[in-house]
Amino acid sequence: MKILVCISKSPDTTAKIAFTDNNTKFATDGVQWIINPYDEWYALVRAIELKEKDASTVIHLVTVGAADADPIIRKALALGGDEAIRVNADTNDSYFIATQIAEVAKQGGYDLVFTGKETIDFNGSSIGGMVAECLEAPYIALAIKFEVEGSKATVTREIEGGEEECEVNLPAVISCQKGMAEARIPNMRGIMAARTRPLKVVEPVAADHLTAVVNFELPPAKAGVKLVPADNPAELVRLLHEEAKVI
Amino acid sequence: MPVLIFIDQSEGQVKKASIEAICYGVAVAEQTGDTAEGVILGKVTDDIAALGKYGLQKIHHVDNEALNHFDAQVFTGAIAQVIDAIKSKVIIFSNNADGKHIAPRLSVKLKAGLVTGAVALPDTTNGFVVKKTVFSGKAFANIAINTDIKIIALNPNSYEITARGDAKAEILSFSAQVGATKVRVTGVNKVKGEVPLSEADIVVSGGRGLRGPENWGMIEELAKLLGAATACSRPVADAHWRPHHEHVGQTGLAIAPNLYIAIGISGAIQHLAGVNRSKTIVVINKDPEAPFFKAADYGIVGDAFEIVPKIIEEVKKLKGVA
């Protein structure tokens, strides 16, 4: 089985969010970059778990980004993965990105494409569905469990207020979230091995950009907390009922 | 060229998130001088004509056996045919589970720019610009859609539901070519009688400060009294005190209820990212230095085990429950 795992570079979860150039660009000064947690903890680690069960499984990683994404994809290779492909393009347009990933997927003939359920920077949750449509493959998003037997996968996905279990024939595209796998950290052996694993850089295929960022805004600051004494919870209930009007 | 809203349903009943999408779509149509129409797929038990009261004029109903189970590919194909038939240029989804499956596929199929996670009406004064959440709720981005057809997926709990009278929508049966389904749904496991977390107006959430799963009784009791959903912080889900689907935060569910009550949660930046779009935040924590107080509207510094039972008593009085 061949699995393609989509990897995105994202700012660390504790990074300070600020903008420059008239609020048109994310301020990257001092920002630590990580593998998008959904891509790493759930998509990649689940793929590694599948390979641990069946050693014939091949895992390729793909990212669409500039050269500054290389350390991130190397880190992903250190966790697991046989080789990586970076499509050399720097963009925020999900259609453009998905077109590139779909092209890599078509060329590689994968049985499965795994993505995280969303990136923690743009929160688009679009790449998986877009890639699936480009490949005319079925798509199951928000997966919390994934098992595969031969060419059939059993997937549990989150729906409003519960879970749905379904079966799908491969090839398929799956977006992964919490529950899929247990997070792990790279070990020294993996880090050393990652140095020798191939990281191919390919140029993007022609594709349109359908959207563009105009600018960013920070949410308005909170007015400040109104503290209620611990011995007077009745006052809290009154405030919620009469002032905030939420209960 | 009508604005088309995808009406998402579950077991024949229209989801609340879709009513929000309808109200949003009707407002977009008013802005662009168009009418608003809906599309609903599969068997329906709700009185969908009544959705006219939100300003929907027509609803295209594709009733086909193959649409009674969810397969994003098949759904996308059916919706695309409706769009083509009525020449719609703006399509609205809820950014809920089904919306996240369909909207990206439709974007590729129609080569239509998509913005997911929208939180406000588009700005159409110069182009078509949609405000969405980014960085897990820590900021917003204004995104221009530069294509002829535009798709927006509206974040749940981001747009107010308002009825506009008692008109009925006209129901039009639409016969679509429906492809073979590749996804077979083999089981649905829904928590009966509980409010889905993503749709809840009120959420009562517990953290490590509650010390163990055996202490969740008061959280559940308060939630039940308020008609609220229950949630938890990441350490609580990681320790298996509560199920994973209750985890809210940067790597869990991002929610935006009217009222979020955080009990025994310190408010790490990753947790705040998932809840900071809540309209009112109440924090109960014994540590006055807990960072959550900075993000809260109301707070009590004190022991949750003493305070929460008293709050429950007060809410019972308010609701007239013995």
Side-chain angles (χ1 to χ4, degrees), chain A residues 13 38 121-124 133 137 141 160 163 165 167 208 210 212 214-215 217 222 226 228 243, chain B residues 15 96-97 101 105 111 116 131-132 135-136 140 142 144 146 184 186-187 189 250 270 297-299:
Chain A
T13 53
Y38 294 108
D121 48 8
F122 270 79
N123 308 117
E133 187 65 23
E160 280 79 34
E163 297 171 359
E165 196 184 272
E167 289 176 353
D208 287 333
L210 309 186
V214 177
N215 57 20
E217 299 172 21
K222 281 264 179 188
K226 198 179 259 190
V228 175
E243 188 178 82
Chain B
K15 294 181 191 171
N96 65 358
H101 279 83
R105 295 200 77 117
K111 223 176 159 191
T116 62
K131 184 172 174 175
K132 74 168 301 245
F135 297 103
S136 307
F140 300 102
N142 292 300
N146 297 324
R184 293 168 302 281
T186 50
N189 181 11
Q250 183 139 27
Q270 294 91 338
D297 299 284
Y298 301 99

mmCIF file of all heavy atoms in Angstrom, chain A residues 13 38 121-124 133 137 141 160 163 165 167 208 210 212 214-215 217 222 226 228 243, chain B residues 15 96-97 101 105 111 116 131-132 135-136 140 142 144 146 184 186-187 189 250 270 297-299:
data_model
loop_
_atom_site.group_PDB
_atom_site.id
_atom_site.type_symbol
_atom_site.label_atom_id
_atom_site.label_comp_id
_atom_site.label_asym_id
_atom_site.label_seq_id
_atom_site.Cartn_x
_atom_site.Cartn_y
_atom_site.Cartn_z
ATOM 1 N N THR A 13 1.857 26.467 18.414
ATOM 2 C CA THR A 13 0.558 26.810 19.015
ATOM 3 C C THR A 13 0.647 27.963 20.009
ATOM 4 O O THR A 13 -0.353 28.596 20.312
ATOM 5 C CB THR A 13 -0.045 25.588 19.737
ATOM 6 O OG1 THR A 13 0.917 25.081 20.656
ATOM 7 C CG2 THR A 13 -0.406 24.481 18.758
ATOM 8 N N TYR A 38 -2.296 18.571 13.303
ATOM 9 C CA TYR A 38 -3.205 17.547 12.759
ATOM 10 C C TYR A 38 -2.506 16.676 11.720
ATOM 11 O O TYR A 38 -2.790 15.492 11.604
ATOM 12 C CB TYR A 38 -4.431 18.197 12.114
ATOM 13 C CG TYR A 38 -5.305 18.908 13.096
ATOM 14 C CD1 TYR A 38 -5.352 20.300 13.134
ATOM 15 C CD2 TYR A 38 -6.080 18.199 14.000
ATOM 16 C CE1 TYR A 38 -6.157 20.961 14.043
ATOM 17 C CE2 TYR A 38 -6.880 18.850 14.917
ATOM 18 C CZ TYR A 38 -6.919 20.235 14.936
ATOM 19 O OH TYR A 38 -7.704 20.886 15.828
ATOM 20 N N ASP A 121 -3.130 27.503 11.117
ATOM 21 C CA ASP A 121 -3.011 28.922 10.758
ATOM 22 C C ASP A 121 -4.212 29.403 9.934
ATOM 23 O O ASP A 121 -4.921 30.305 10.344
ATOM 24 C CB ASP A 121 -1.662 29.244 10.089
ATOM 25 C CG ASP A 121 -1.286 28.282 8.976
ATOM 26 O OD1 ASP A 121 -2.121 27.439 8.605
ATOM 27 O OD2 ASP A 121 -0.153 28.389 8.477
ATOM 28 N N PHE A 122 -4.494 28.756 8.799
ATOM 29 C CA PHE A 122 -5.619 29.249 7.990
ATOM 30 C C PHE A 122 -6.947 28.560 8.307
ATOM 31 O O PHE A 122 -8.006 29.040 7.898
ATOM 32 C CB PHE A 122 -5.287 29.180 6.500
ATOM 33 C CG PHE A 122 -4.650 30.438 6.022
ATOM 34 C CD1 PHE A 122 -3.307 30.671 6.255
ATOM 35 C CD2 PHE A 122 -5.398 31.429 5.411
ATOM 36 C CE1 PHE A 122 -2.712 31.855 5.879
ATOM 37 C CE2 PHE A 122 -4.820 32.612 5.022
ATOM 38 C CZ PHE A 122 -3.470 32.832 5.252
ATOM 39 N N ASN A 123 -6.909 27.478 9.051
ATOM 40 C CA ASN A 123 -8.141 26.779 9.440
ATOM 41 C C ASN A 123 -9.085 26.577 8.265
ATOM 42 O O ASN A 123 -10.300 26.740 8.381
ATOM 43 C CB ASN A 123 -8.902 27.553 10.547
ATOM 44 C CG ASN A 123 -8.031 27.898 11.732
ATOM 45 O OD1 ASN A 123 -7.817 29.058 12.029
ATOM 46 N ND2 ASN A 123 -7.502 26.883 12.391
ATOM 47 N N GLY A 124 -8.525 26.197 7.106
ATOM 48 C CA GLY A 124 -9.364 26.086 5.921
ATOM 49 C C GLY A 124 -10.157 24.792 5.857
ATOM 50 O O GLY A 124 -11.270 24.764 5.353
ATOM 51 N N GLU A 133 -11.603 15.770 -4.973
ATOM 52 C CA GLU A 133 -12.369 16.119 -6.175
ATOM 53 C C GLU A 133 -11.458 16.107 -7.401
ATOM 54 O O GLU A 133 -11.851 15.636 -8.458
ATOM 55 C CB GLU A 133 -13.058 17.482 -5.997
ATOM 56 C CG GLU A 133 -14.016 17.855 -7.116
ATOM 57 C CD GLU A 133 -15.245 16.946 -7.229
ATOM 58 O OE1 GLU A 133 -15.623 16.304 -6.236
ATOM 59 O OE2 GLU A 133 -15.811 16.863 -8.338
ATOM 60 N N ALA A 137 -11.901 10.953 -6.262
ATOM 61 C CA ALA A 137 -11.854 9.885 -5.258
ATOM 62 C C ALA A 137 -12.816 10.211 -4.126
ATOM 63 O O ALA A 137 -13.141 11.376 -3.901
ATOM 64 C CB ALA A 137 -10.432 9.781 -4.704
ATOM 65 N N ALA A 141 -13.890 13.149 5.787
ATOM 66 C CA ALA A 141 -13.232 14.175 6.600
ATOM 67 C C ALA A 141 -13.471 13.896 8.079
ATOM 68 O O ALA A 141 -14.384 13.161 8.447
ATOM 69 C CB ALA A 141 -13.765 15.549 6.241
ATOM 70 N N GLU A 160 -22.108 15.833 13.724
ATOM 71 C CA GLU A 160 -22.670 16.636 14.812
ATOM 72 C C GLU A 160 -23.296 15.706 15.853
ATOM 73 O O GLU A 160 -24.197 14.940 15.534
ATOM 74 C CB GLU A 160 -23.732 17.611 14.295
ATOM 75 C CG GLU A 160 -23.159 18.870 13.659
ATOM 76 C CD GLU A 160 -22.676 18.642 12.242
ATOM 77 O OE1 GLU A 160 -23.302 17.821 11.550
ATOM 78 O OE2 GLU A 160 -21.689 19.275 11.832
ATOM 79 N N GLU A 163 -20.872 9.991 16.077
ATOM 80 C CA GLU A 163 -19.899 9.401 15.156
ATOM 81 C C GLU A 163 -20.631 8.595 14.095
ATOM 82 O O GLU A 163 -21.728 8.103 14.346
ATOM 83 C CB GLU A 163 -18.998 8.418 15.922
ATOM 84 C CG GLU A 163 -18.168 9.065 16.985
ATOM 85 C CD GLU A 163 -17.460 8.040 17.855
ATOM 86 O OE1 GLU A 163 -17.621 6.833 17.644
ATOM 87 O OE2 GLU A 163 -16.728 8.487 18.758
ATOM 88 N N GLU A 165 -19.825 5.444 11.251
ATOM 89 C CA GLU A 165 -18.836 4.485 10.759
ATOM 90 C C GLU A 165 -19.140 4.202 9.302
ATOM 91 O O GLU A 165 -20.309 4.040 8.930
ATOM 92 C CB GLU A 165 -18.936 3.197 11.574
ATOM 93 C CG GLU A 165 -17.729 2.307 11.397
ATOM 94 C CD GLU A 165 -17.896 0.998 12.133
ATOM 95 O OE1 GLU A 165 -17.533 0.939 13.319
ATOM 96 O OE2 GLU A 165 -18.403 0.043 11.505
ATOM 97 N N GLU A 167 -17.574 2.481 5.318
ATOM 98 C CA GLU A 167 -16.605 1.697 4.560
ATOM 99 C C GLU A 167 -16.376 2.387 3.238
ATOM 100 O O GLU A 167 -17.306 2.932 2.649
ATOM 101 C CB GLU A 167 -17.167 0.300 4.268
ATOM 102 C CG GLU A 167 -17.264 -0.584 5.478
ATOM 103 C CD GLU A 167 -17.916 -1.916 5.141
ATOM 104 O OE1 GLU A 167 -18.397 -2.093 4.004
ATOM 105 O OE2 GLU A 167 -17.951 -2.747 6.039
ATOM 106 N N ASP A 208 -4.576 28.113 -11.273
ATOM 107 C CA ASP A 208 -5.060 29.451 -10.914
ATOM 108 C C ASP A 208 -5.099 29.627 -9.403
ATOM 109 O O ASP A 208 -5.185 28.659 -8.658
ATOM 110 C CB ASP A 208 -6.473 29.658 -11.464
ATOM 111 C CG ASP A 208 -6.452 29.856 -12.966
ATOM 112 O OD1 ASP A 208 -5.416 30.327 -13.474
ATOM 113 O OD2 ASP A 208 -7.458 29.516 -13.610
ATOM 114 N N LEU A 210 -7.676 31.186 -6.780
ATOM 115 C CA LEU A 210 -9.086 31.601 -6.786
ATOM 116 C C LEU A 210 -9.390 32.643 -5.713
ATOM 117 O O LEU A 210 -10.404 33.320 -5.767
ATOM 118 C CB LEU A 210 -9.998 30.382 -6.584
ATOM 119 C CG LEU A 210 -9.766 29.165 -7.504
ATOM 120 C CD1 LEU A 210 -10.846 28.122 -7.273
ATOM 121 C CD2 LEU A 210 -9.725 29.561 -8.968
ATOM 122 N N ALA A 212 -7.538 35.496 -2.567
ATOM 123 C CA ALA A 212 -6.339 36.224 -2.146
ATOM 124 C C ALA A 212 -6.608 36.877 -0.798
ATOM 125 O O ALA A 212 -7.716 37.369 -0.542
ATOM 126 C CB ALA A 212 -5.989 37.290 -3.182
ATOM 127 N N VAL A 214 -6.698 39.765 1.618
ATOM 128 C CA VAL A 214 -6.686 41.232 1.536
ATOM 129 C C VAL A 214 -5.911 41.773 2.737
ATOM 130 O O VAL A 214 -4.954 42.521 2.585
ATOM 131 C CB VAL A 214 -8.124 41.792 1.515
ATOM 132 C CG1 VAL A 214 -8.101 43.317 1.503
ATOM 133 C CG2 VAL A 214 -8.893 41.239 0.316
ATOM 134 N N ASN A 215 -6.324 41.386 3.933
ATOM 135 C CA ASN A 215 -5.591 41.771 5.144
ATOM 136 C C ASN A 215 -6.063 40.946 6.333
ATOM 137 O O ASN A 215 -6.971 40.127 6.203
ATOM 138 C CB ASN A 215 -5.734 43.273 5.441
ATOM 139 C CG ASN A 215 -7.188 43.685 5.586
ATOM 140 O OD1 ASN A 215 -8.067 42.859 5.841
ATOM 141 N ND2 ASN A 215 -7.451 44.960 5.430
ATOM 142 N N GLU A 217 -6.931 40.947 10.730
ATOM 143 C CA GLU A 217 -7.363 41.788 11.862
ATOM 144 C C GLU A 217 -7.199 40.973 13.130
ATOM 145 O O GLU A 217 -7.396 39.767 13.117
ATOM 146 C CB GLU A 217 -8.870 42.106 11.786
ATOM 147 C CG GLU A 217 -9.328 42.849 10.597
ATOM 148 C CD GLU A 217 -10.865 42.923 10.542
ATOM 149 O OE1 GLU A 217 -11.542 42.747 11.584
ATOM 150 O OE2 GLU A 217 -11.371 43.157 9.449
ATOM 151 N N LYS A 222 -10.840 42.245 25.133
ATOM 152 C CA LYS A 222 -11.925 42.117 26.109
ATOM 153 C C LYS A 222 -11.896 43.308 27.064
ATOM 154 O O LYS A 222 -10.837 43.831 27.387
ATOM 155 C CB LYS A 222 -11.733 40.827 26.910
ATOM 156 C CG LYS A 222 -12.185 39.583 26.163
ATOM 157 C CD LYS A 222 -13.600 39.186 26.555
ATOM 158 C CE LYS A 222 -14.041 37.955 25.770
ATOM 159 N NZ LYS A 222 -15.457 37.643 25.976
ATOM 160 N N LYS A 226 -15.256 40.794 35.147
ATOM 161 C CA LYS A 226 -16.004 41.277 36.310
ATOM 162 C C LYS A 226 -15.986 40.148 37.334
ATOM 163 O O LYS A 226 -16.557 39.090 37.103
ATOM 164 C CB LYS A 226 -17.433 41.584 35.867
ATOM 165 C CG LYS A 226 -18.201 42.482 36.816
ATOM 166 C CD LYS A 226 -19.604 42.751 36.269
ATOM 167 C CE LYS A 226 -19.697 44.126 35.606
ATOM 168 N NZ LYS A 226 -21.096 44.480 35.284
ATOM 169 N N VAL A 228 -16.825 38.169 40.723
ATOM 170 C CA VAL A 228 -17.914 38.033 41.691
ATOM 171 C C VAL A 228 -17.328 37.335 42.910
ATOM 172 O O VAL A 228 -16.579 36.370 42.760
ATOM 173 C CB VAL A 228 -19.048 37.181 41.069
ATOM 174 C CG1 VAL A 228 -20.150 36.916 42.080
ATOM 175 C CG2 VAL A 228 -19.597 37.847 39.812
ATOM 176 N N GLU A 243 -27.790 40.892 32.996
ATOM 177 C CA GLU A 243 -26.855 41.786 32.300
ATOM 178 C C GLU A 243 -26.414 41.181 30.960
ATOM 179 O O GLU A 243 -26.610 41.767 29.904
ATOM 180 C CB GLU A 243 -25.640 42.053 33.192
ATOM 181 C CG GLU A 243 -24.704 43.116 32.629
ATOM 182 C CD GLU A 243 -23.541 43.363 33.573
ATOM 183 O OE1 GLU A 243 -22.566 42.582 33.531
ATOM 184 O OE2 GLU A 243 -23.604 44.334 34.341
ATOM 185 N N LYS B 15 -30.729 20.936 10.303
ATOM 186 C CA LYS B 15 -29.829 21.281 11.410
ATOM 187 C C LYS B 15 -29.873 22.781 11.692
ATOM 188 O O LYS B 15 -30.043 23.589 10.783
ATOM 189 C CB LYS B 15 -28.391 20.882 11.057
ATOM 190 C CG LYS B 15 -28.211 19.377 10.940
ATOM 191 C CD LYS B 15 -26.771 19.029 10.605
ATOM 192 C CE LYS B 15 -26.656 17.562 10.231
ATOM 193 N NZ LYS B 15 -25.335 17.226 9.688
ATOM 194 N N ASN B 96 -19.946 23.127 8.949
ATOM 195 C CA ASN B 96 -20.069 21.997 9.873
ATOM 196 C C ASN B 96 -19.475 20.754 9.204
ATOM 197 O O ASN B 96 -18.835 20.849 8.142
ATOM 198 C CB ASN B 96 -21.536 21.803 10.289
ATOM 199 C CG ASN B 96 -22.412 21.398 9.123
ATOM 200 O OD1 ASN B 96 -21.953 21.284 7.986
ATOM 201 N ND2 ASN B 96 -23.682 21.183 9.388
ATOM 202 N N ALA B 97 -19.692 19.588 9.791
ATOM 203 C CA ALA B 97 -19.035 18.379 9.268
ATOM 204 C C ALA B 97 -19.389 18.157 7.789
ATOM 205 O O ALA B 97 -18.500 17.941 6.961
ATOM 206 C CB ALA B 97 -19.426 17.174 10.115
ATOM 207 N N HIS B 101 -17.088 18.589 4.138
ATOM 208 C CA HIS B 101 -16.920 17.545 3.129
ATOM 209 C C HIS B 101 -17.245 18.066 1.725
ATOM 210 O O HIS B 101 -16.546 17.752 0.768
ATOM 211 C CB HIS B 101 -17.873 16.370 3.397
ATOM 212 C CG HIS B 101 -17.408 15.395 4.436
ATOM 213 N ND1 HIS B 101 -17.591 15.586 5.773
ATOM 214 C CD2 HIS B 101 -16.786 14.194 4.321
ATOM 215 C CE1 HIS B 101 -17.093 14.546 6.446
ATOM 216 N NE2 HIS B 101 -16.599 13.694 5.583
ATOM 217 N N ARG B 105 -15.018 20.206 -2.335
ATOM 218 C CA ARG B 105 -15.190 19.435 -3.581
ATOM 219 C C ARG B 105 -15.877 20.313 -4.623
ATOM 220 O O ARG B 105 -15.479 20.343 -5.791
ATOM 221 C CB ARG B 105 -16.062 18.197 -3.332
ATOM 222 C CG ARG B 105 -15.472 17.161 -2.405
ATOM 223 C CD ARG B 105 -16.168 15.819 -2.614
ATOM 224 N NE ARG B 105 -15.674 15.218 -3.816
ATOM 225 C CZ ARG B 105 -15.004 14.062 -3.882
ATOM 226 N NH1 ARG B 105 -14.773 13.359 -2.785
ATOM 227 N NH2 ARG B 105 -14.581 13.606 -5.029
ATOM 228 N N LYS B 111 -14.703 25.261 -10.092
ATOM 229 C CA LYS B 111 -13.595 26.225 -10.082
ATOM 230 C C LYS B 111 -14.066 27.550 -9.480
ATOM 231 O O LYS B 111 -13.923 28.630 -10.073
ATOM 232 C CB LYS B 111 -13.020 26.419 -11.479
ATOM 233 C CG LYS B 111 -11.511 26.431 -11.413
ATOM 234 C CD LYS B 111 -10.869 26.511 -12.747
ATOM 235 C CE LYS B 111 -9.460 27.031 -12.525
ATOM 236 N NZ LYS B 111 -8.815 27.386 -13.764
ATOM 237 N N THR B 116 -13.860 29.242 3.869
ATOM 238 C CA THR B 116 -14.485 28.494 4.963
ATOM 239 C C THR B 116 -14.277 29.253 6.266
ATOM 240 O O THR B 116 -13.323 30.013 6.404
ATOM 241 C CB THR B 116 -13.849 27.101 5.118
ATOM 242 O OG1 THR B 116 -12.471 27.272 5.444
ATOM 243 C CG2 THR B 116 -13.966 26.275 3.855
ATOM 244 N N LYS B 131 -14.841 37.817 5.578
ATOM 245 C CA LYS B 131 -14.054 37.756 6.814
ATOM 246 C C LYS B 131 -14.171 36.369 7.421
ATOM 247 O O LYS B 131 -15.263 35.839 7.565
ATOM 248 C CB LYS B 131 -14.596 38.802 7.789
ATOM 249 C CG LYS B 131 -13.825 38.932 9.081
ATOM 250 C CD LYS B 131 -14.364 40.129 9.854
ATOM 251 C CE LYS B 131 -13.744 40.253 11.222
ATOM 252 N NZ LYS B 131 -14.194 41.478 11.914
ATOM 253 N N LYS B 132 -13.014 35.788 7.761
ATOM 254 C CA LYS B 132 -13.022 34.450 8.344
ATOM 255 C C LYS B 132 -12.076 34.388 9.533
ATOM 256 O O LYS B 132 -11.179 35.226 9.664
ATOM 257 C CB LYS B 132 -12.586 33.410 7.284
ATOM 258 C CG LYS B 132 -11.084 33.442 6.985
ATOM 259 C CD LYS B 132 -10.632 32.228 6.160
ATOM 260 C CE LYS B 132 -10.909 30.960 6.843
ATOM 261 N NZ LYS B 132 -9.974 30.061 7.295
ATOM 262 N N PHE B 135 -5.787 31.405 12.474
ATOM 263 C CA PHE B 135 -4.980 31.148 13.666
ATOM 264 C C PHE B 135 -5.875 30.682 14.815
ATOM 265 O O PHE B 135 -5.772 31.172 15.946
ATOM 266 C CB PHE B 135 -4.143 32.381 14.039
ATOM 267 C CG PHE B 135 -3.147 32.737 12.977
ATOM 268 C CD1 PHE B 135 -3.377 33.810 12.118
ATOM 269 C CD2 PHE B 135 -1.997 31.980 12.803
ATOM 270 C CE1 PHE B 135 -2.472 34.118 11.108
ATOM 271 C CE2 PHE B 135 -1.091 32.289 11.802
ATOM 272 C CZ PHE B 135 -1.329 33.360 10.954
ATOM 273 N N SER B 136 -6.769 29.765 14.477
ATOM 274 C CA SER B 136 -7.645 29.124 15.464
ATOM 275 C C SER B 136 -8.358 30.131 16.349
ATOM 276 O O SER B 136 -8.406 29.976 17.566
ATOM 277 C CB SER B 136 -6.839 28.135 16.309
ATOM 278 O OG SER B 136 -6.144 27.242 15.470
ATOM 279 N N PHE B 140 -8.528 37.339 12.503
ATOM 280 C CA PHE B 140 -9.413 37.209 11.347
ATOM 281 C C PHE B 140 -8.630 37.551 10.084
ATOM 282 O O PHE B 140 -7.687 38.336 10.133
ATOM 283 C CB PHE B 140 -10.596 38.171 11.454
ATOM 284 C CG PHE B 140 -11.441 37.941 12.664
ATOM 285 C CD1 PHE B 140 -11.326 38.767 13.775
ATOM 286 C CD2 PHE B 140 -12.354 36.897 12.723
ATOM 287 C CE1 PHE B 140 -12.092 38.556 14.915
ATOM 288 C CE2 PHE B 140 -13.125 36.676 13.854
ATOM 289 C CZ PHE B 140 -12.991 37.502 14.953
ATOM 290 N N ASN B 142 -9.403 38.835 5.981
ATOM 291 C CA ASN B 142 -10.356 39.204 4.943
ATOM 292 C C ASN B 142 -9.838 38.636 3.638
ATOM 293 O O ASN B 142 -8.731 38.944 3.207
ATOM 294 C CB ASN B 142 -10.489 40.727 4.875
ATOM 295 C CG ASN B 142 -11.147 41.264 6.127
ATOM 296 O OD1 ASN B 142 -12.278 40.903 6.429
ATOM 297 N ND2 ASN B 142 -10.430 42.088 6.881
ATOM 298 N N ALA B 144 -10.416 37.835 -0.427
ATOM 299 C CA ALA B 144 -11.134 38.185 -1.655
ATOM 300 C C ALA B 144 -11.349 36.921 -2.475
ATOM 301 O O ALA B 144 -10.422 36.135 -2.678
ATOM 302 C CB ALA B 144 -10.319 39.194 -2.459
ATOM 303 N N ASN B 146 -12.014 35.699 -6.108
ATOM 304 C CA ASN B 146 -11.817 36.336 -7.418
ATOM 305 C C ASN B 146 -12.422 35.546 -8.577
ATOM 306 O O ASN B 146 -12.000 35.693 -9.711
ATOM 307 C CB ASN B 146 -10.316 36.537 -7.661
ATOM 308 C CG ASN B 146 -9.717 37.484 -6.621
ATOM 309 O OD1 ASN B 146 -10.373 38.437 -6.202
ATOM 310 N ND2 ASN B 146 -8.501 37.212 -6.183
ATOM 311 N N ARG B 184 -20.015 3.662 2.072
ATOM 312 C CA ARG B 184 -21.169 2.976 2.644
ATOM 313 C C ARG B 184 -21.199 3.237 4.144
ATOM 314 O O ARG B 184 -20.258 2.874 4.860
ATOM 315 C CB ARG B 184 -21.067 1.469 2.392
ATOM 316 C CG ARG B 184 -21.199 1.089 0.915
ATOM 317 C CD ARG B 184 -20.800 -0.353 0.676
ATOM 318 N NE ARG B 184 -19.429 -0.633 1.097
ATOM 319 C CZ ARG B 184 -18.339 -0.308 0.367
ATOM 320 N NH1 ARG B 184 -18.463 0.290 -0.797
ATOM 321 N NH2 ARG B 184 -17.140 -0.594 0.827
ATOM 322 N N THR B 186 -22.080 2.398 7.672
ATOM 323 C CA THR B 186 -22.417 1.113 8.295
ATOM 324 C C THR B 186 -22.944 1.285 9.714
ATOM 325 O O THR B 186 -23.457 0.342 10.298
ATOM 326 C CB THR B 186 -21.192 0.174 8.316
ATOM 327 O OG1 THR B 186 -20.083 0.904 8.876
ATOM 328 C CG2 THR B 186 -20.825 -0.285 6.921
ATOM 329 N N GLY B 187 -22.807 2.466 10.262
ATOM 330 C CA GLY B 187 -23.319 2.652 11.613
ATOM 331 C C GLY B 187 -23.274 4.110 12.029
ATOM 332 O O GLY B 187 -22.369 4.841 11.647
ATOM 333 N N ASN B 189 -23.609 6.453 15.527
ATOM 334 C CA ASN B 189 -23.652 6.392 16.978
ATOM 335 C C ASN B 189 -23.799 7.816 17.500
ATOM 336 O O ASN B 189 -22.837 8.559 17.592
ATOM 337 C CB ASN B 189 -22.354 5.752 17.482
ATOM 338 C CG ASN B 189 -22.337 5.638 18.979
ATOM 339 O OD1 ASN B 189 -23.359 5.841 19.642
ATOM 340 N ND2 ASN B 189 -21.172 5.327 19.519
ATOM 341 N N GLN B 250 -7.365 24.419 20.632
ATOM 342 C CA GLN B 250 -6.701 24.532 19.336
ATOM 343 C C GLN B 250 -6.670 23.210 18.580
ATOM 344 O O GLN B 250 -6.854 23.180 17.378
ATOM 345 C CB GLN B 250 -5.277 25.019 19.558
ATOM 346 C CG GLN B 250 -4.540 25.221 18.272
ATOM 347 C CD GLN B 250 -3.705 26.476 18.299
ATOM 348 O OE1 GLN B 250 -3.272 26.940 19.337
ATOM 349 N NE2 GLN B 250 -3.486 27.037 17.150
ATOM 350 N N GLN B 270 -3.640 27.549 24.030
ATOM 351 C CA GLN B 270 -4.234 26.593 23.084
ATOM 352 C C GLN B 270 -5.712 26.359 23.402
ATOM 353 O O GLN B 270 -6.511 26.119 22.505
ATOM 354 C CB GLN B 270 -3.497 25.248 23.133
ATOM 355 C CG GLN B 270 -2.068 25.296 22.641
ATOM 356 C CD GLN B 270 -1.067 25.563 23.740
ATOM 357 O OE1 GLN B 270 -1.400 26.093 24.786
ATOM 358 N NE2 GLN B 270 0.183 25.214 23.491
ATOM 359 N N ASP B 297 -15.361 37.290 30.821
ATOM 360 C CA ASP B 297 -16.262 38.411 31.079
ATOM 361 C C ASP B 297 -16.642 38.441 32.556
ATOM 362 O O ASP B 297 -16.764 39.493 33.152
ATOM 363 C CB ASP B 297 -17.517 38.271 30.221
ATOM 364 C CG ASP B 297 -17.179 38.274 28.751
ATOM 365 O OD1 ASP B 297 -16.897 39.360 28.238
ATOM 366 O OD2 ASP B 297 -17.148 37.193 28.135
ATOM 367 N N TYR B 298 -16.884 37.246 33.125
ATOM 368 C CA TYR B 298 -17.226 37.124 34.536
ATOM 369 C C TYR B 298 -16.344 36.047 35.145
ATOM 370 O O TYR B 298 -15.980 35.086 34.467
ATOM 371 C CB TYR B 298 -18.692 36.728 34.719
ATOM 372 C CG TYR B 298 -19.664 37.712 34.095
ATOM 373 C CD1 TYR B 298 -20.229 37.453 32.844
ATOM 374 C CD2 TYR B 298 -19.993 38.899 34.741
ATOM 375 C CE1 TYR B 298 -21.109 38.365 32.265
ATOM 376 C CE2 TYR B 298 -20.869 39.811 34.174
ATOM 377 C CZ TYR B 298 -21.425 39.536 32.937
ATOM 378 O OH TYR B 298 -22.279 40.432 32.367
ATOM 379 N N GLY B 299 -16.023 36.226 36.419
ATOM 380 C CA GLY B 299 -15.195 35.211 37.048
ATOM 381 C C GLY B 299 -15.485 35.094 38.520
ATOM 382 O O GLY B 299 -15.977 36.042 39.155
#
